[in-house]
Amino acid sequence: MRLRAAAAAAIVTRRYCSHRFNKVENLQFQWNIGIAQQALHNPSSAPSFYKKMQYLGIPPNNLTFPPLLKACAALREGPMISQVQVHVLRFGLVSDLFVSAALIDAHGKCGRCECALQVFDELNQHVTDRVLWTTLISTLSRHGSHEQALQRFSRMRTCCELDVVSLCALLSNSREVSSDPSFLKNGRMVHALSFKYGFELENRLTNTLIHMYSRGGALGDASKAFDGVPVQQRDVVSWNSMISAHAANGKEQRALSTFFDMLALGVAPSKVTVMAVLKACAELGCIDTCRHLYKCVISGHSWPFLNDITVATALLDMHARCGDLDSAGRLFDGIKVKNVVCWSAMIAGYEHNFCFDKALDFFCKMVEDMRPNEVTMVSVIAACSGLGASRPGRVVHGFVVVAGLNRDARVGSALVDMYAKCGDIQSARRVFELTNYTVRTVVMWSAMIGAEGLHGFGQRALFLFSEMTSHGIAPNEVTFISLLSACSHAGLVQDGLSCFNSMFRDYRLSPTAKHYACVVDLLGRTGKLNEAHDFIRAMHIEADVAVWGSLLGACRLHGNCGLAEVAEKEILRLDPSSVGHQVLLANIYKDAGKEEAVIRTRVAMKNKGLQKIPGCSFLEIGTKVYSFIADDRCCFETVKVYEALQALDEHVKNIGIANKDGFDIKILTRGQYHSERLAIAFAIMMKVHEKEVAIRITKNLRVCKDCHDYTKLVSKACKIELIVRDSHRFHHFKDGCCTCGDYW
C-alpha cells in the first residue's frame, strides 16, 4: 500500500509540475506577443510592458528581448538599451544568437558602434553564425566605419559562407556618408564579388548596388549593374531603382525614358514607380512632357493606386511646377478629403510660378480648415520674399511663432531669407541670432551669409563663414555661392579667390557653373577682364550663359566692346532667344558712341521677334503694394506723380548746383521716367519719409548708373533714406552715399 501511495504521489507531483511549467510558458508567450505588438505599433509602451512582466514575476526568455530592443532602437534610447543588456546578462541569454544579433542591431541604430563591437567580441564562442556577422557589418557600414566593416567582412569570409544578404550588408549607409570615396570603393569590391560567387543576377543585390552607385554619384556604374541583369529577370523594384537613380542625379529625361521602356515591356509599375516618375517630370519643368505623361500614361491605365491621395498630390505638384496651374487647381478640387500635403503643394505651386498674391490668399483659406506644417510655412514665407513686402512677412512670422513652428531650421532659414529680400537686414540678423546654435543647419548659415552679401556686407559674410566652420558645420555648394557672391558685391577679390580655391582643397566640393560665374563677376567688376576671360577658358566644365553673362556685365561696367562681342557671341550660341544680354550689348555700344552697332543689334532683336523686358518697380505703403513701369502713364494719380517728379528734379538740381560737388545736370534727363524714379516721386508725394521710415523699392532689373546717381542725390537733397532692391542686390542710400560704394 505504501508503495502504491508513493507511486501515486509521484504521478501527481509530475502532473502538477508539468501543469505549472506549461502555465509559465503560456504567460511568457502571451507577454512576449504583447511586447512585440507594442514594439511594432507603439514602441514607447514596450518598456513599460516589460516592467509589468517583471513585476508579475514572469521570467523573460530569448523571445522577450529582440522586440524590446527593437522598440528601444526605434526610440533612439541608448541608455535604455544598456539597461536591457544588463537584464540579458542577468538571465544568461547573451549567448543566444538572436538576442545578441538584436543587441548589436539596437546599439548600431543608436550610433553606438563601439558597444555593438563589444557585444560581438564578448561572445564565448568562435562566431560562425552568418546573421551575427551580417548584422555587425551592416551596423558598421551604416555609420561610415567602412574600413572596420571591410575588415570584419574579410574575417567573416573565413568563418562562414557568404550569401546575398551578407554582400548587401557591406553597402548599408546613411545619407551623410554616401559621398565618402571609401563607400564607393567597397561598393565596387562587392560588385566584383557578386560575379565571383555567382550572385550577379540576384535582384536584391543588383537593386542595392544601383541605389549605392546612385547616392555616390556613379550613375554609369549604376547603369552597368542594371544592364547586367537580363530583361526578363528584372522585377519592378529594379526598374524603380534605376528610375530613381536617374532622377536623383539630375537625369530626369533618362528617368522618363526608362519608365516608358518599362511599360513597353509589360512590367506593371508600383506606386513607388509612379511617384518617382511624377517627381522627375516636375523637376524637368516641361509642360508638354507633363501633359504627355498624364494623357498617355496616367489617365490611360486603371492602376488601383491612382486614386491614392499621395499620387493625386504628386500629380498636382507636377502640373503646378510645370506651370499648368489650371490643371493643378482642377486636381486639387477633385481631392475629396484634403490633407496638409495637398494644400502645401498647391501653395508651393503658386509660389514657384511667381503668383505670390495667390499663394498668400490660398494660405488664408487653408488655415480655416487645418493647421499648416513647416513645409507649408516655407512656401508661404518664400511668397512674401517674392513680393518684397515686409508687412505680410511680419504677419506670417507672427503666425509661425504662435503656431510653434519657429524652432524648425527650415522655417528659420526661410525667415532670414525673407527679411533680407525685403530689405530688413536687421530683422534677418535677429532671427538668426535668436536661433540656438544646435538648431542652425548649413542651410540657415548659408541663408545668413547670402543675406549679408545681398546687402553688401562682405566682411560680415566672411566672418559668418569662419564662425560656421568653427562650430564644425561643413559648407555645401550653396554656401560657397552665397560667399562668393558676397565677396563680389563687396569687391573682396583676394578673399573671394581664396574661398573658391578652398572649395575642393578643404571640402572636396567640385565647383559648378554658378561658382565659376561668381568668380568671373568678382574679377570683372574690378576691371580684370582679361583675367576673367582666361579664367573662363581654363574652366573644367563648359561655360554656360550665366558665366558669359557675368563677363558681359563687367564689359558694360568698364566699356570693353571687343570682349563684350566675344561674350555675346557665346551667349547667342548657347541661347539665341536671350533678350537681356542683347539689350546690355546695345547699351555698351551706346556708351561707346557706336550708334551703327546699336541700330544693328536692335534690328537683329526685332527680326527675331525679341522684345526688351520693361523695367518695373514696386513700392509698399501700408497694406498696399503699388507698381510702376518705365514711362508709365497709367499709374495711380498719374498727373500728380509726374508733377511730383518734376518738383523733385528741380529740388535735386538746385541742391546739386548749390553744393558744386561735380553735379552733372544730364543725370536729370537721362532715364528721367524710369520706374524707380516714378516710385520715389510717388513715395515722397505720399509723405512716406515723414513717418521716419525708409522708402523701400523693389525693381525687376538692374539699376542703371544714372538712376543710381540720381537716387544718391535725392537721399542727400531730401534727407531721407532709400532702400532699393534690384535684380542683383540691395542699395541703401543715405546722405548722398550708397552701401554698394558705387560697385554693383
Side-chain angles (χ1 to χ4, degrees):
M1 291 290 294
R2 289 181 179 179
L3 288 173
R4 287 180 182 177
I11 291 171
V12 170
T13 303
R14 281 200 301 271
R15 286 179 178 175
Y16 175 77
C17 291
S18 176
H19 174 72
R20 181 159 185 156
F21 176 77
N22 288 335
K23 185 177 180 181
V24 170
E25 200 171 45
N26 279 335
L27 287 171
Q28 283 179 330
F29 176 77
Q30 291 172 8
W31 279 93
N32 288 346
I33 290 292
I35 292 172
Q37 288 177 340
Q38 293 302 316
L40 185 64
H41 301 292
N42 188 14
S44 59
S45 298
S48 61
F49 253 66
Y50 176 70
K51 288 179 181 178
K52 289 180 182 178
M53 181 179 177
Q54 290 288 98
Y55 177 76
L56 295 172
I58 302 168
N61 60 14
N62 63 332
L63 300 178
T64 308
F65 292 111
L68 181 61
L69 288 165
K70 182 180 179 181
C72 295
L75 296 170
R76 298 294 187 268
E77 288 284 352
M80 193 179 293
I81 293 171
S82 297
Q83 292 176 13
V84 174
Q85 187 174 347
V86 171
H87 283 251
V88 169
L89 292 168
R90 185 173 127 200
F91 288 99
L93 295 172
V94 71
S95 59
D96 185 273
L97 296 178
F98 289 107
V99 175
S100 297
L103 268 172
I104 292 168
D105 183 63
H107 281 306
K109 285 178 179 175
C110 290
R112 309 172 78 190
C113 291
E114 293 301 322
C115 295
L117 282 167
Q118 185 180 3
V119 171
F120 185 87
D121 293 336
E122 287 181 355
L123 290 172
N124 298 324
Q125 55 183 314
H126 184 63
V127 179
T128 59
D129 184 74
R130 192 162 53 201
V131 174
L132 276 176
W133 280 105
T134 301
T135 305
L136 179 68
I137 292 167
S138 178
T139 294
L140 294 172
S141 184
R142 188 188 304 124
H143 291 279
S145 302
H146 298 304
E147 293 302 323
Q148 278 190 309
L150 191 57
Q151 291 172 8
R152 295 287 174 158
F153 182 78
S154 299
R155 285 174 55 186
M156 175 187 177
R157 292 173 62 188
T158 65
C159 299
C160 56
E161 187 178 350
L162 297 181
D163 64 358
V164 172
V165 179
S166 308
L167 291 172
C168 290
L170 200 58
L171 303 179
S172 301
N173 70 296
S174 66
R175 191 174 299 275
E176 291 76 14
V177 300
S178 58
S179 59
D180 189 342
S182 61
F183 173 68
L184 276 177
K185 178 183 174 183
N186 285 0
R188 292 190 173 100
M189 184 204 70
V190 170
H191 199 172
L193 284 174
S194 69
F195 286 93
K196 179 178 179 179
Y197 289 98
F199 298 140
E200 70 275 11
L201 301 182
E202 290 285 346
N203 278 323
R204 177 171 181 174
L205 182 57
T206 300
N207 299 339
T208 306
L209 284 167
I210 292 170
H211 186 64
M212 180 274 301
Y213 283 134
S214 170
R215 292 177 73 172
L219 192 57
D221 291 320
S223 297
K224 288 178 183 177
F226 179 74
D227 295 337
V229 179
V231 174
Q232 62 273 16
Q233 289 186 232
R234 296 172 190 163
D235 59 9
V236 67
V237 180
S238 303
W239 288 98
N240 291 349
S241 299
M242 200 63 236
I243 290 168
S244 299
H246 286 308
N249 286 274
K251 305 291 183 182
E252 289 83 10
Q253 199 66 56
R254 289 281 302 278
L256 292 174
S257 63
T258 304
F259 175 64
F260 287 116
D261 289 343
M262 172 185 173
L263 293 181
L265 291 167
V267 181
S270 65
K271 179 180 172 181
V272 175
T273 320
V274 173
M275 294 292 288
V277 170
L278 293 177
K279 184 178 179 182
C281 188
E283 290 293 332
L284 199 60
C286 177
I287 192 166
D288 292 332
T289 306
C290 167
R291 289 170 179 169
H292 174 70
L293 182 63
Y294 184 79
K295 183 178 179 181
C296 298
V297 181
I298 304 303
S299 62
H301 294 79
S302 56
W303 299 320
F305 50 76
L306 291 180
N307 293 323
D308 188 285
I309 189 171
T310 55
V311 176
T313 302
L315 279 168
L316 183 160
D317 180 65
M318 176 187 69
H319 281 89
R321 294 181 67 180
C322 290
D324 190 355
L325 290 172
D326 291 335
S327 296
R330 286 193 294 270
L331 284 163
F332 179 82
D333 294 336
I335 299 174
K336 294 180 181 179
V337 182
K338 299 176 177 64
N339 59 16
V340 67
V341 180
C342 59
W343 277 98
S344 301
M346 201 64 213
I347 292 171
Y350 281 124
E351 186 273 326
H352 181 75
N353 288 279
F354 308 106
C355 300
F356 306 122
D357 288 326
K358 289 186 177 180
L360 294 179
D361 291 341
F362 218 77
F363 171 68
C364 293
K365 293 177 183 177
M366 177 186 178
V367 293
E368 295 175 1
D369 291 343
M370 64 183 64
R371 183 180 183 272
N373 60 15
E374 294 84 355
V375 177
T376 317
M377 298 315 304
V378 169
S379 296
V380 173
I381 295 167
C384 296
S385 300
L387 283 174
S390 58
R391 185 179 293 272
R394 290 193 182 93
V395 173
V396 170
H397 188 183
F399 178 88
V400 164
V401 173
V402 171
L405 301 174
N406 55 318
R407 290 182 290 274
D408 185 83
R410 293 166 298 177
V411 174
S413 303
L415 284 169
V416 168
D417 183 68
M418 181 269 294
Y419 278 122
K421 288 180 178 176
C422 290
D424 192 351
I425 188 65
Q426 295 299 333
S427 293
R429 289 169 180 164
R430 278 196 297 273
V431 171
F432 182 77
E433 289 166 1
L434 290 173
T435 305
N436 194 285
Y437 276 104
T438 58
V439 179
R440 293 179 191 171
T441 61
V442 65
V443 177
M444 178 169 268
W445 283 98
S446 301
M448 195 62 234
I449 291 170
E452 297 290 359
L454 189 65
H455 287 263
F457 301 106
Q459 291 292 352
R460 287 184 66 94
L462 289 167
F463 173 76
L464 280 171
F465 179 75
S466 176
E467 189 178 4
M468 179 185 84
T469 54
S470 69
H471 281 86
I473 298 176
N476 58 18
E477 290 86 352
V478 177
T479 312
F480 276 101
I481 290 173
S482 300
L483 190 62
L484 290 169
S485 180
C487 291
S488 178
H489 287 153
L492 304 172
V493 179
Q494 293 305 319
D495 291 312
L497 292 175
S498 176
C499 290
F500 179 80
N501 292 329
S502 73
M503 276 188 68
F504 186 79
R505 184 189 65 224
D506 300 332
Y507 303 102
R508 291 291 182 260
L509 296 172
S510 298
T512 65
K514 290 182 179 180
H515 298 101
Y516 284 112
C518 288
V519 176
V520 171
D521 189 59
L522 178 70
L523 294 169
R525 285 175 186 271
T526 54
K528 299 180 179 181
L529 298 179
N530 291 327
E531 288 184 33
H533 189 212
D534 292 340
F535 180 80
I536 293 174
R537 290 189 294 182
M539 283 172 54
H540 297 297
I541 61 175
E542 184 183 4
D544 63 2
V545 173
V547 174
W548 288 109
S550 296
L551 181 62
L552 184 64
C555 291
R556 164 73 193 280
L557 188 65
H558 298 283
N560 190 322
C561 294
L563 204 52
E565 290 173 351
V566 173
E568 183 64 15
K569 183 179 178 181
E570 293 294 333
I571 290 171
L572 291 176
R573 180 180 65 83
L574 296 167
D575 183 11
S577 62
S578 175
V579 178
H581 296 108
Q582 293 183 60
V583 172
L584 187 57
L585 181 64
N587 291 334
I588 293 173
Y589 287 139
K590 185 178 179 181
D591 292 342
K594 297 183 177 182
E595 293 299 329
E596 291 183 4
V598 174
I599 295 170
R600 185 173 65 250
T601 304
R602 289 178 176 172
V603 168
M605 288 177 59
K606 186 177 181 180
N607 292 337
K608 293 178 183 178
L610 303 177
Q611 292 184 346
K612 179 182 177 181
I613 301 171
C616 184
S617 295
F618 301 92
L619 173 70
E620 180 187 8
I621 301 178
T623 59
K624 293 183 178 181
V625 177
Y626 299 89
S627 62
F628 304 85
I629 60 173
D631 297 316
D632 194 352
R633 299 290 172 178
C634 301
C635 61
F636 181 69
E637 297 188 352
T638 302
V639 176
K640 291 184 179 179
V641 170
Y642 277 86
E643 288 177 354
L645 181 59
Q646 294 293 339
L648 181 61
D649 287 348
E650 193 65 29
H651 183 53
V652 169
K653 176 183 174 182
N654 294 334
I655 295 294
I657 293 174
N659 290 338
K660 298 179 181 179
D661 53 358
F663 172 70
D664 184 2
I665 199 168
K666 292 181 180 179
I667 293 174
L668 299 177
T669 56
R670 292 197 298 258
Q672 185 176 13
Y673 301 125
H674 282 185
S675 61
E676 60 267 48
R677 294 200 188 186
L678 295 173
I680 292 170
F682 181 76
I684 292 174
M685 183 183 80
M686 299 294 287
K687 300 182 179 180
V688 173
H689 59 290
E690 293 183 3
K691 300 174 184 177
E692 297 184 356
V693 295
I695 296 174
R696 300 175 187 271
I697 296 169
T698 302
K699 187 177 181 183
N700 64 331
L701 301 177
R702 186 173 179 267
V703 174
C704 70
K705 185 179 185 302
D706 292 325
C707 288
H708 188 271
D709 292 342
Y710 177 83
T711 310
K712 287 197 299 181
L713 288 170
V714 169
S715 69
K716 186 174 184 178
C718 300
K719 300 187 184 304
I720 58 177
E721 181 181 1
L722 298 105
I723 301 174
V724 179
R725 169 190 170 187
D726 70 2
S727 60
H728 283 66
R729 59 168 296 157
F730 271 92
H731 302 263
H732 295 250
F733 298 93
K734 193 172 184 179
D735 298 328
C737 298
C738 179
T739 52
C740 74
D742 297 336
Y743 183 88
W744 80 102

